[in-house]
Amino acid sequence: MSLRLLLTNVTLAGRTGTEIVTRDLALGLHRRGHRVAVYAPSRGPIADELETAGVRVVTRIDDIDGPDIVHGHHFIETVEALARFPRARGIFVCHDRTAPHSCPPRWPAVQRFVAVDENCLERLQQDCEIPAAETRVILNAVDMSRFAPRAAPLPAKPARALVFSHNAWPGTHADVVRAVCDRLAIPVDVMGAGAGNVADAPEAHLPQYDLVFAKARCALEAMAAGAAVVLCDTVGSGPMVTPDLVSCLRQWNFGARTLTQALNPDRLAREIDKYDPAQAAATSAMIRQEASLDMALDRYEELYREVMELPVPADRSVRPLLQALLRRIGWVEQDLRGFRSDDGMPVLTDGDVAGIRVEIDGSPQPMAAGVPAFIKVRVRNEMAIPLGTWPPFPVQAACRWKPVGAAQFEPAAHAVRSLLHRGIASGDADLLFVRVVPPAMPGLYVLRVTLVQEHRRWLDEAPTPACADVTVTIT
């Protein structure tokens, strides 16, 4: 069944992840006989590439005819298209756990929600409370006709390395990688917007490198091209991807949730030591078989057929969206009042932090890798002021992980927060249920429960730290 499909994206002006995904899906669906158009408010070389291949690209929603299905990637453009075409069915694909423009529109016009990995699925089902029956997981994929396998096998030792990331500007993980590779006499290049070196066709460059440091889509493309890949980016580092880890790591899109370790030169050196041409070749073969664009297109076509069998929602009112927007405005105004008030949570001094006691209640049982859980934590406030999650500098409970024997805990950006709902008065204690998300890889880990004062600092980094550690088995 040939369909009229409209893909929406926040932009086509650069070469970010969703722009590449939009291009690959549009071209693949066009080759399969669907009438495909793409709507993005701004355009660039990818738009030209699409139009050269016969896919129409518009920057004004009024410039196209009504589609059967709106396949949306970002909130505003998806809502704009579905409001403009009331007879269209809608699906929304979530590509990011936290980005505001990736927030799913809770609206009857959107009949199915897709997550590109388990992290985004948590945003749909847990953060946004979308019923599981309305969600699907379709993992990211690579156009294998574009990313051909390298012609020659990898050398016995890596001769050239690449940092492949738009985030690799000076002072980030690129410097750590370069220092380690210099120590090992491995030349390193950097490719990405942060380094001022954006490749229009990374598929032409990746086969020149034996070892690549990347995450998410960049890691996926590098593995498809046959390189050995160490997961790494600005927020932390992960493992060398080997065949036994592919399935688990891919469920998390080789992304931020797999970067469970700090950027430590010695740790990166240990991962580089795992370089094995045969293992890298086997990993590449698995990726080429399991992460092909054709498999993703099959899944999307199945979803299109499912949605086309559903009735067009009779209620297309934007009232739910407006209500959600008003709630958000109310939250912002409340926060602003708190920031302007003298009655809020002040900045805690080192002396204040010394008066906070954190204790883990009982011994946590083994936890499943990547599966959220709750632990009981007692927080005792011996300060002269109340402790709570109030602006302008709210305090929340948070957790950090590290493997047993590792020098540092995971980067703070990964830590899950839990509110101090009632606040804790001076001289009082409270028992909290703190949410934790175990690492994606099984093993023996140290779990640290601490407090973070937003916009200021982590309280386990104070001279007298407010934290508690416990060893947990991750299965």
Side-chain angles (χ1 to χ4, degrees):
M1 175 174 60
S2 176
L3 295 170
R4 295 171 298 164
L5 303 172
L6 175 62
L7 277 64
T8 73
N9 207 67
V10 68
T11 182
L12 287 180
R15 292 189 176 273
T16 60
T18 58
E19 290 169 278
I20 300 300
V21 169
T22 300
R23 178 199 66 187
D24 289 353
L25 289 176
L27 292 177
L29 293 165
H30 174 71
R31 288 193 294 267
R32 293 190 174 200
H34 299 288
R35 293 171 54 191
V36 184
V38 177
Y39 165 58
S42 55
R43 57 178 293 151
I46 285 182
D48 298 335
E49 183 180 344
L50 287 169
E51 291 187 331
T52 300
V55 175
R56 189 175 183 192
V57 178
V58 298
T59 57
R60 285 169 31 88
I61 197 68
D62 290 334
D63 290 343
I64 58 173
D65 298 327
D68 299 312
I69 291 177
V70 170
H71 175 137
H73 287 161
H74 298 106
F75 185 98
I76 291 176
E77 291 73 25
T78 303
V79 170
E80 189 177 2
L82 286 169
R84 174 65 180 81
F85 303 114
R87 298 300 302 167
R89 280 91 168 169
I91 70 168
F92 180 83
V93 184
C94 178
H95 289 272
D96 190 277
R97 177 64 186 267
T98 59
H101 58 242
S102 289
C103 180
R106 296 300 311 275
W107 191 24
V110 182
Q111 294 164 290
R112 291 294 182 268
F113 298 84
V114 177
V116 299
D117 66 0
E118 293 294 327
N119 199 25
C120 293
L121 185 65
E122 287 182 5
R123 180 172 197 176
L124 296 178
Q125 294 184 354
Q126 297 178 17
D127 301 350
C128 300
E129 300 181 343
I130 296 172
E134 297 178 16
T135 65
R136 303 289 184 272
V137 176
I138 301 180
L139 300 174
N140 273 334
V142 174
D143 185 349
M144 299 303 172
S145 65
R146 187 182 292 265
F147 286 84
R150 57 186 295 138
L154 290 170
K157 295 183 178 180
R160 294 187 69 188
L162 175 70
V163 177
F164 186 20
S165 168
H166 285 314
N167 302 322
W169 50 80
T172 62
H173 66 297
D175 292 352
V176 182
V177 171
R178 195 181 299 280
V180 175
C181 288
D182 285 349
R183 195 168 76 194
L184 299 174
I186 305 173
V188 181
D189 295 329
V190 181
M191 185 164 64
N197 181 30
V198 177
D200 291 343
E203 61 271 20
H205 301 279
L206 287 172
Q208 303 170 21
Y209 297 95
D210 311 316
L211 178 64
V212 176
F213 298 86
K215 73 170 178 67
R217 183 171 189 85
C218 292
L220 197 61
E221 293 175 348
M223 285 183 281
V229 172
V230 174
L231 299 180
C232 185
D233 206 73
T234 54
V235 296
S237 66
M240 169 81 76
V241 184
T242 52
D244 58 313
L245 300 181
V246 167
S247 296
C248 176
L249 294 173
R250 188 171 175 241
Q251 294 298 317
W252 300 92
N253 194 33
F254 306 99
R257 290 282 287 279
T258 67
L259 307 182
T260 58
Q261 304 302 315
L263 288 167
N264 179 279
D266 291 336
R267 188 186 180 283
L268 281 178
R270 289 195 295 271
E271 294 303 321
I272 295 172
D273 284 343
K274 297 176 184 177
Y275 174 87
D276 183 311
Q279 293 267 347
T283 298
S284 180
M286 291 180 67
I287 290 296
R288 296 191 66 82
Q289 179 177 355
E290 299 173 10
S292 70
L293 176 63
D294 283 336
M295 294 183 68
L297 292 173
D298 289 343
R299 294 288 312 280
Y300 277 112
E301 286 187 317
E302 290 174 7
L303 184 58
Y304 296 156
R305 288 192 290 270
E306 176 185 334
V307 171
M308 287 301 294
E309 293 177 359
L310 300 174
V312 176
D315 180 10
R316 305 282 289 216
S317 169
V318 296
R319 182 184 297 273
L321 295 175
L322 292 175
Q323 289 173 335
L325 179 60
L326 289 172
R327 282 196 299 271
R328 291 190 181 191
I329 292 173
W331 295 336
V332 171
E333 289 180 342
Q334 182 176 352
D335 285 345
L336 287 174
R337 285 195 298 271
F339 273 94
R340 297 181 182 125
S341 170
D342 295 330
D343 237 0
M345 191 71 222
V347 175
L348 297 178
T349 66
D350 290 345
D352 292 331
V353 178
I356 300 173
R357 303 285 180 265
V358 179
E359 302 169 357
I360 297 172
D361 191 41
S363 179
Q365 298 298 311
M367 300 180 187
V371 178
F374 288 87
I375 62 172
K376 294 180 181 180
V377 175
R378 189 175 302 278
V379 177
R380 189 176 304 278
N381 178 14
E382 298 174 1
M383 301 186 298
I385 59 174
L387 180 68
T389 307
W390 311 305
F393 301 106
V395 176
Q396 301 189 68
C399 299
R400 305 167 84 167
W401 297 87
K402 72 173 183 178
V404 168
Q408 294 177 303
F409 284 89
E410 67 176 345
H414 296 165
V416 177
R417 268 77 154 169
S418 296
L419 300 178
L420 309 182
H421 287 286
R422 294 184 296 274
I424 306 172
S426 176
D428 283 352
D430 197 6
L431 187 64
L432 311 175
F433 286 87
V434 175
R435 185 171 181 264
V436 300
V437 179
M441 298 301 302
L444 195 62
Y445 288 82
V446 177
L447 167 63
R448 168 167 290 179
V449 182
T450 182
L451 301 175
V452 57
Q453 184 161 39
E454 304 294 356
H455 319 300
R456 301 302 295 181
R457 63 172 171 172
W458 287 76
L459 302 192
D460 62 336
E461 297 171 353
T464 304
C467 64
D469 294 351
V470 66
T471 301
V472 180
T473 300
I474 305 300
T475 62

